[in-house]
Amino acid sequence: MTQRLYIETFGCQMNERDSEIMAQLLGEHSYVQTNKPELADVVVVNTCSIRGKAAHKAYSCFGRYKKLKEKHHDFILAVTGCVAQQDGTALLERMPYIDIVMGPQSIYTLPSLVAEARRSKKPQVATELSADFVIPPFLPNLAESTPHKRFITIMQGCDNFCTYCVVPYTRGREISRSFTDILGEATHLVAQGVKEITLIGQNVNSYGKKGDAAQNKSFPELLRAVAGIDGLQRLRFTSSHPKDLSEELMRCFAEIPVLCPHFHLPVQSGSNRILERMNRKYTIEAYLDKAARLREYRPDIALTTDIIVGFPGETEEDFAATMQVVETVRYHGSYSFKYSDRPNAKAADFPDKVAEAVKSERLARLQVRQEEIALELKQAEIGKSVEVMVEGASKAPANQWSGRTGGNQIVNFSCDRKLVPGDLLMVEIESACQNSLRGKMI
Ligand code: SAH
Ligand code: SF4
Ligand code: F3S
């Protein structure tokens, strides 16, 4: 009998991809997805724990699903992802109505855990994190929908232990996925009509360093292999650690035509003192040098970043150094956050915490300046012709479409022709606003 599945996903692309995998696995056991949780037989909440706020969001939604359980005696509530890994059985103590608590390494066992929870009427916990974990072979099934762009997970976990970060504890040791499996998945996707692939992992540019499955291939070698698949039109990747950005990877931007001119290079702070306390393993000088060299290889490359403000011990002078990096690099975009204490992360024990009001004020100052720069960079596109990949039709008015440039900027444009997501076309940019460009098809 067909059952209904509702998945709520928080957090990064790794979680988004894991949710797709879980949906496919349950799909193979006659589950169809619904967008109405009240109709679901199984609800999966795939959680994120990166900052206190993210974890809080997850916690606050469990209560809503409790009510569903009271109405439907066979209903299963599964909590997966990084909060599940981090809190494990403690989650069950606080919320005994949860049926399954499962960490990121266990997603492939979801169907059997659901069956066991139903059969035994007992909560199931799967939060082992093994250093010998092997990402199992898995081929996406696109039978129901063929989206034009897809993520491919190329690695799991992280060994960098930045002192603010929970990921090494929630995703476990860094492990590369099999080179053959990645290439197989990419080939399969392109054969089914996928035009754009994004290779994802916590630290993709260290691909191949951990785990035999990578078959001694480096990240640049993987990029070149995937780029060589006939029919692939755009290739992207995220996220990268500046310390692992090699000259060989930079060269890829000059030599691989389908590799999009966009690099997300999280800087976190502009102060060497803070970078050291964060355990980032690079200096700001080395970072800026790499950013400049990337632009030598690919002058039109769009750089984006992540920044933490108010890390313990951050002085006004340290923060000024971060503001200076924003001026120097001129990022096309940035994700910036107030520092947040996380369980297990070393910085939670640092004594010199920055006051909340100071963090808020610095974050606001940073974001105002970053937005000005991002707008200036968009305005500089006016009059240029750019290649856009169609994402879909705008809601209104008619003949309006939306797409993305190689640099990942949103472009809204008019075109009388019927387009489909994944089409590539040239658009002349006529105006710019904070979050998007506007133009007309050439
Ligand atoms: N692996 C990626 C980052 C994943 S987390 C990388 O290294 O680039 C995404 C971003 O969240 C980080 O880059 C950082 O800016 C932010 N972040 C992580 N932990 C945080 C914390 N405790 N407080 C505030 N921001 C945090
Ligand atoms: Fe976290 Fe640092 Fe690993 Fe990124 S590199 S996931 S910030 S520990
Ligand atoms: Fe969040 Fe886990 Fe991703 S903490 S950012 S879902 S790796």
Side-chain angles (χ1 to χ4, degrees):
M1 202 184 72
T2 302
Q3 301 225 47
R4 292 199 182 86
L5 165 69
Y6 178 80
I7 304 193
E8 179 156 4
T9 307
F10 298 95
C12 62
Q13 291 104 332
M14 303 293 289
N15 260 15
E16 279 181 43
R17 179 69 196 123
D18 285 352
S19 288
E20 288 173 358
I21 292 174
M22 290 190 284
Q24 179 174 334
L25 289 168
L26 284 176
E28 287 161 8
H29 290 80
S30 315
Y31 282 83
V32 292
Q33 278 197 80
T34 168
N35 51 15
K36 296 197 179 73
E38 63 279 9
L39 297 181
D41 303 290
V42 172
V43 166
V44 174
V45 185
N46 197 5
T47 60
C48 171
S49 174
I50 198 74
R51 284 166 291 277
K53 241 192 209 166
H56 186 77
K57 250 200 235 162
Y59 266 95
S60 65
C61 81
F62 301 150
R64 262 187 278 137
Y65 299 124
K66 181 185 179 194
K67 296 194 195 90
L68 300 180
K69 198 167 170 91
E70 286 155 6
K71 286 192 206 141
H72 177 347
H73 73 279
D74 240 3
F75 177 85
I76 296 284
L77 175 59
V79 179
T80 65
C82 291
V83 172
Q85 183 65 46
Q86 178 190 289
D87 294 350
T89 45
L91 259 173
L92 291 177
E93 282 156 27
R94 284 178 61 181
M95 279 155 286
Y97 54 86
I98 293 174
D99 301 286
I100 296 172
V101 176
M102 191 182 88
Q105 277 190 2
S106 304
I107 57 170
Y108 298 90
T109 64
L110 180 61
S112 58
L113 289 180
V114 170
E116 187 52 28
R118 283 242 167 87
R119 195 194 60 76
S120 67
K121 309 241 178 268
K122 288 204 184 94
Q124 305 294 308
V125 180
T127 51
E128 304 75 39
L129 271 187
S130 162
D132 304 319
F133 177 68
V134 176
I135 303 175
F138 185 82
L139 264 194
N141 172 9
L142 300 181
E144 283 170 33
S145 60
T146 35
H148 72 286
K149 55 179 189 180
R150 299 283 295 200
F151 295 138
I152 298 182
T153 301
I154 67 163
M155 65 201 311
Q156 266 283 9
C158 182
D159 284 355
N160 286 319
F161 292 94
C162 301
T163 54
Y164 50 81
C165 188
V166 78
V167 172
Y169 307 98
T170 61
R171 296 258 165 190
R173 297 288 54 74
E174 178 179 311
I175 188 89
S176 295
R177 187 178 172 200
S178 148
F179 181 80
T180 310
D181 286 358
I182 298 169
L183 218 57
E185 181 166 334
T187 307
H188 172 77
L189 290 177
V190 175
Q192 296 204 40
V194 170
K195 303 283 189 264
E196 175 180 307
I197 285 176
T198 304
L199 305 178
I200 59 168
Q202 288 303 341
N203 189 13
V204 288
N205 50 352
S206 69
Y207 177 83
K209 293 189 182 149
K210 305 280 169 69
D212 301 335
Q215 296 152 252
N216 288 321
K217 296 285 199 285
S218 66
F219 184 59
E221 286 172 302
L222 177 66
L223 270 185
R224 286 178 196 274
V226 175
I229 297 171
D230 204 24
L232 179 68
Q233 294 187 328
R234 281 186 169 180
L235 179 58
R236 302 181 185 277
F237 59 84
T238 196
S239 214
S240 307
H241 195 301
K243 78 173 164 53
D244 297 312
L245 169 49
S246 64
E247 201 73 28
E248 200 195 340
L249 177 54
M250 295 187 199
R251 205 175 308 121
C252 291
F253 284 93
E255 295 176 359
I256 303 179
V258 296
L259 186 60
C260 289
H262 172 210
F263 205 110
H264 183 66
L265 196 58
V267 67
Q268 313 299 359
S269 168
S271 155
N272 281 332
R273 202 177 66 83
I274 297 295
L275 287 172
E276 197 176 336
R277 295 187 64 167
M278 287 176 161
N279 192 31
R280 288 291 287 176
K281 303 188 184 91
Y282 53 82
T283 62
I284 196 61
E285 291 76 19
Y287 178 95
L288 291 174
D289 182 53
K290 286 186 180 184
R293 289 222 304 283
L294 266 173
R295 284 189 169 136
E296 282 169 25
Y297 282 105
R298 189 77 199 245
D300 63 339
I301 200 162
L303 298 178
T304 56
T305 201
D306 292 347
I307 293 171
I308 296 177
V309 303
F311 184 80
E314 185 188 78
T315 61
E316 190 53 41
E317 201 184 343
D318 294 318
F319 177 66
T322 301
M323 289 294 280
Q324 187 53 50
V325 170
V326 167
E327 293 299 335
T328 307
V329 179
R330 293 180 65 80
Y331 293 106
H332 277 72
S334 122
Y335 298 98
S336 45
F337 315 97
K338 289 190 269 184
Y339 166 79
S340 155
D341 276 342
R342 303 309 299 130
N344 300 315
K346 251 192 178 163
D349 297 329
F350 291 1
D352 39 4
K353 297 282 156 59
V354 175
E356 202 52 35
V358 174
K359 287 195 263 187
S360 301
E361 188 276 328
R362 287 182 190 163
L363 183 69
R365 242 194 294 161
L366 175 87
Q367 290 182 337
V368 165
R369 184 61 194 128
Q370 171 54 39
E371 292 217 336
E372 286 168 2
I373 292 170
L375 182 59
E376 286 162 17
L377 291 173
K378 285 199 181 70
Q379 284 163 342
E381 296 293 304
I382 296 172
K384 290 187 190 161
S385 300
V386 296
E387 189 190 62
V388 171
M389 183 171 276
V390 176
E391 301 240 298
S394 300
K395 277 174 216 102
N399 305 330
Q400 294 298 311
W401 300 85
S402 184
R404 280 181 191 265
T405 66
N408 215 23
Q409 306 272 355
I410 297 169
V411 183
N412 297 308
F413 61 97
S414 49
C415 168
D416 302 334
R417 248 177 43 211
K418 171 108 181 79
L419 301 171
V420 288
D423 283 350
L424 273 181
L425 44 86
M426 296 301 291
V427 171
E428 187 185 324
I429 303 302
E430 295 175 317
S431 63
C433 55
Q434 191 62 56
N435 296 316
S436 61
L437 299 165
R438 166 154 283 289
K440 62 167 191 281
M441 188 184 150
I442 304 172

